[in-house]
Amino acid sequence: MKLLTRSTLALTMALAVLFPITSPSAEPVEEKTDSKMMEHCEKMKEQKAKMKADMKAQDAELTAHAAKMNSAPADKKVDELAALVTHMLEQRIAMGARKAKMEEEMMAHMMKHMEMGKDSMAKCPMMKGMDHKSAEAHKDHPEAKN
C-alpha cells in the first residue's frame, strides 16, 4: 500500500512539473510584461532620436563657430581657432560618455528581449526595419558563412 501511495505521489509530482497548470491569469501577466517592455522600447527609441537631434544641433553650432572663426580678423583667428577646438573637444568627450552609456543600456535592452523569447525582438520598435540592414552588415561575418 505504501508503495502504491508513493508511486502515485511521485507520478503526480512528475506530471505537475512536466505539465504545469496554466491559469487564465497567465496571459495578462505576459501581456503586461510585453506592454512594459514595449514602453521601454519606445523610451530607448526616443533617447536614440534625441541623441541624433542633439548631434545635429552640435554640428550646426560648430559650423557657425567655424564661420565666425573664418570671418574673424587675422589677429583674432588664433583665439577663435582655440575656442573652436576646445568646444569640439568638450562636445566629443560629452557625446562619447553619452554614447557609451546608451550602448550599455541598449545591450541590456536586447538581452531582455532575448530572455523573453525570439518573437520579442521582432516586436521591438528599435528593431523595425533593421533586419535588412543587420543581415547586410553581417553577411561577411565568419559565422554567417557556416
Side-chain angles (χ1 to χ4, degrees):
M1 187 68 166
K2 281 186 178 181
L3 182 61
L4 181 61
T5 305
R6 286 182 184 171
S7 297
T8 305
L9 181 60
L11 180 61
T12 304
M13 289 174 61
L15 288 173
V17 169
L18 293 174
F19 303 103
I21 299 172
T22 55
S23 67
S25 64
E27 286 182 31
V29 170
E30 185 177 314
E31 286 177 20
K32 188 185 287 186
T33 303
D34 282 349
S35 174
K36 187 175 180 182
M37 188 63 179
M38 289 303 122
E39 287 176 25
H40 191 256
C41 294
E42 288 296 333
K43 181 180 172 189
M44 294 293 294
K45 186 175 180 181
E46 290 168 9
Q47 286 176 342
K48 186 176 177 185
K50 180 163 178 12
M51 185 185 308
K52 283 179 91 174
D54 290 349
M55 288 173 72
K56 200 172 200 173
Q58 287 179 350
D59 288 347
E61 193 177 299
L62 290 174
T63 300
H65 202 141
K68 180 180 174 187
M69 176 193 69
N70 289 333
S71 65
D75 63 325
K76 301 286 185 191
K77 282 197 186 282
V78 173
D79 291 339
E80 288 294 331
L81 177 62
L84 177 60
V85 170
T86 301
H87 190 75
M88 287 173 65
L89 180 63
E90 290 169 349
Q91 280 186 350
R92 173 125 164 89
I93 290 169
M95 188 56 70
R98 186 174 172 189
K99 285 177 81 172
K101 182 180 181 221
M102 183 172 237
E103 286 171 1
E104 189 176 310
E105 290 172 358
M106 289 289 293
M107 186 61 72
H109 181 79
M110 293 300 127
M111 292 300 292
K112 185 71 173 170
H113 274 298
M114 291 172 74
E115 290 172 6
M116 293 176 72
K118 65 178 183 169
D119 294 334
S120 178
M121 189 88 68
K123 294 177 187 175
C124 181
M126 296 280 302
M127 301 304 290
K128 300 290 184 202
M130 289 190 67
D131 291 338
H132 174 69
K133 291 178 194 173
S134 179
E136 188 66 27
H138 296 292
K139 71 179 179 188
D140 295 327
H141 194 278
E143 291 178 9
K145 293 179 180 179
N146 293 336

